[in-house]
Amino acid sequence: MNVEAEILDLKLRVESLEAALRSNGGPDSRPRPNDIVPAQAGSYRSELPALVAQVSIGVSQLRAEIADVRTEVGQDFEALIVEIAGVRVQLSENHQAVQADLLGKIDSLRCDMIDLGLRLDRLTEKGGA
């Protein structure tokens, strides 16, 4: 017998033994992924398109969720920018109101000081004359 015929014979015997083990329905009736040689992955070849489809669906769902999160974050940032602009306007209005009030009080104090100065001048003129 030549070497190729012996290898083919051994391969057929191993395959028939694996088939017999699988047909018994034992806990290891299905070969483990680490035990499969790519050329012998017959039953897994039929499952591959379904697995690829599941992964593609999962990736699509993740992309959709990421897009939703991006949209929500973008909307949150836009709302935050609007809120900050509103706070700036309100602070500016409050600042202007306080500044106008302070300027009014300073003007009032200045007028009172001038009035007091004039009174003091009158009193000193009457007392000195």
Side-chain angles (χ1 to χ4, degrees):
M1 243 194 209
N2 68 20
V3 176
E4 290 179 2
E6 288 180 10
I7 292 173
L8 183 60
D9 183 45
L10 288 173
K11 184 179 174 185
L12 291 173
R13 288 172 55 193
V14 167
E15 286 177 356
S16 65
L17 181 61
E18 287 178 345
L21 288 175
R22 273 188 241 132
S23 66
N24 289 340
D28 293 326
S29 63
R30 201 170 151 175
R32 294 175 298 196
N34 294 338
D35 295 340
I36 297 173
V37 178
Q40 297 175 343
S43 63
Y44 287 104
R45 284 185 189 168
S46 62
E47 295 174 7
L48 188 60
L51 294 174
V52 169
Q54 287 176 350
V55 170
S56 296
I57 291 169
V59 169
S60 298
Q61 290 172 343
L62 284 176
R63 284 183 178 168
E65 287 179 26
I66 290 170
D68 289 343
V69 169
R70 281 184 179 173
T71 302
E72 289 176 10
V73 169
Q75 290 172 348
D76 289 344
F77 276 126
E78 288 175 9
L80 183 61
I81 289 169
V82 169
E83 289 289 328
I84 290 172
V87 168
R88 282 184 177 172
V89 168
Q90 191 174 18
L91 285 175
S92 178
E93 289 173 356
N94 289 344
H95 177 262
Q96 290 174 357
V98 167
Q99 188 176 19
D101 188 40
L102 285 175
L103 289 175
K105 287 181 180 181
I106 289 173
D107 285 342
S108 175
L109 283 173
R110 189 179 301 140
C111 290
D112 288 345
M113 298 258 317
I114 291 171
D115 187 42
L116 283 173
L118 291 174
R119 280 182 164 176
L120 281 172
D121 286 342
R122 277 190 229 138
L123 286 173
T124 54
E125 285 178 10
K126 287 182 183 178

